[in-house]
């Protein structure tokens, strides 16, 4: 019976594990291999060059800029996005005042409408979001500067994406706006599963909204928050940041490489400059950064599991 059980399990796992190895693990191995060559990506001919690409990467100022920008994305975007999502979802589900004849615990008035409003950016493609905000940030005809002029702030007309000191923060704001709604819905679903008796008991004991959040809501949602943090960090290091920077910024990645992130730098080296081997070297560095980020978040966020 035991041998039959194991054959049954292996039979089900063989196909998905095989596909995973072919389409996920093998490309990683190939990338690491090509990082030790001089492959251009345009010719099948290449030679082994050892650690030359890695030596070049460590002396590449643009690489260090892109690494710093990616780290800022990975650290600040999850912090801001998840904090906002937790606040909004708490207000939607628990933060309302008690109404006469109604339940002791409820969300603010119009909470169902707010869920739709917050989730709306998820309906739009990230490319469409980036284009819309690129028009909004236009210093001459954009909606933001037009609004500033309309309220009498003609002297406050930033260049936004044209200013090296502001461009990166403008891109981050777009990513926060486009992703916070997803986490609002995610955390709202988690909060809806927390028994209302816990909140009612806390209110009877005199606990305020803030104490209720930190003593009840956050501990019981911690596993979801931790998973969301890792997910948001991976988005910030990967496709989401690439799409927004590629579409919105000059260069792209400018001005003066002020918005260049690692995934964009990989793309530029591979498809613009024809340096596929060097691009895979930067890709290996991005893989290491992503794995370290996930490991650190999971390690620092480890705590005893609470059940209800």
């Amino acid at each position: 019976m035991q041998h039959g059980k194991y054959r049954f399990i292996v039979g089900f796992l063989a196909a998905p594990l095989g596909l995973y190895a072919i389409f996920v693990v093998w490309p990683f191995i190939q990338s690491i291999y090509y990082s030790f060559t001089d492959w251009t990506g345009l010719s099948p001919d290449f030679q082994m060059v050892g650690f030359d690409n890695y030596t070049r990467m460590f002396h590449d100022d643009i690489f260090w800029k892109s690494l710093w920008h990616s780290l800022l994305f990975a650290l600040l975007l999850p912090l801001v996005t998840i904090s906002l999502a937790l606040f909004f979802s708490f207000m939607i589900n628990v933060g309302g005042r008690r109404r006469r004849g109604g339940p002791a615990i409820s969300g603010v008035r119009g909470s169902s409408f707010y869920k739709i409003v917050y989730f709306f950016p998820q309906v739009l493609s990230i490319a469409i979001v980036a284009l819309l905000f690129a028009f909004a940030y236009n210093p001459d005809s954009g909606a933001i500067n037009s609004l500033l002029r309309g309220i009498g702030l003609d002297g406050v007309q930033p260049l936004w994406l044209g200013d090296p000191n502001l461009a990166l923060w403008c891109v981050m704001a777009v990513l926060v706006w486009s992703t916070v709604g997803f986490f609002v819905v995610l955390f709202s679903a988690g909060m809806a599963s927390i028994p209302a008796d816990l909140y009612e008991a806390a209110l009877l004991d005199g606990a305020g909204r803030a104490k209720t959040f930190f003593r009840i809501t956050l501990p019981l949602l911690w596993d979801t928050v931790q998973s969301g943090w890792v997910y948001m960090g991976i988005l910030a290091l990967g496709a989401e940041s690439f799409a927004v920077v590629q579409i919105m910024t000059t260069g792209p990645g400018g001005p003066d490489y002020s918005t260049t992130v690692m995934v964009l730098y990989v793309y530029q080296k591979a498809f613009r400059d024809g340096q596929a081997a060097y691009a895979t070297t930067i890709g290996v560095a991005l893989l290491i950064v992503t794995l370290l980020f996930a490991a650190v978040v999971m390690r620092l966020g480890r705590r005893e599991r609470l059940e209800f």
Side-chain angles (χ1 to χ4, degrees), residues 39-79:
W39 184 44
T40 63
L42 304 175
S43 169
D45 301 323
F46 58 85
Q47 296 179 345
M48 300 296 294
V49 296
F51 288 93
D52 289 357
N53 288 322
Y54 289 92
T55 302
R56 174 187 172 186
M57 183 179 69
F58 285 122
H59 292 88
D60 187 349
D61 292 338
I62 301 175
F63 164 75
W64 289 110
K65 278 188 175 182
S66 67
L67 174 61
W68 171 242
H69 297 156
S70 293
L71 290 176
L72 281 178
F73 272 54
L75 295 174
L76 295 182
L77 281 176
L79 176 64

Side-chain angles (χ1 to χ4, degrees), residues 3-54:
H3 293 294
K5 181 181 72 173
Y6 290 132
R7 282 198 298 268
F8 179 77
I9 294 174
V10 170
F12 268 95
L13 291 179
L17 287 178
L19 292 173
Y20 184 82
I22 292 171
F23 294 105
V24 178
V25 177
W26 180 242
F28 281 138
I29 296 174
Q30 283 184 307
S31 297
I32 295 172
Y33 171 74
Y34 284 128
S35 69
F36 294 100
T37 70
D38 61 356
W39 184 44
T40 63
L42 304 175
S43 169
D45 301 323
F46 58 85
Q47 296 179 345
M48 300 296 294
V49 296
F51 288 93
D52 289 357
N53 288 322
Y54 289 92

Side-chain angles (χ1 to χ4, degrees), residues 229-253:
W229 199 290
V230 174
Y231 176 70
M232 185 62 206
I234 293 174
L235 284 182
L237 289 169
E240 294 287 311
S241 61
F242 168 77
V244 175
V245 173
Q246 172 75 8
I247 294 171
M248 291 181 60
T249 61
T250 57

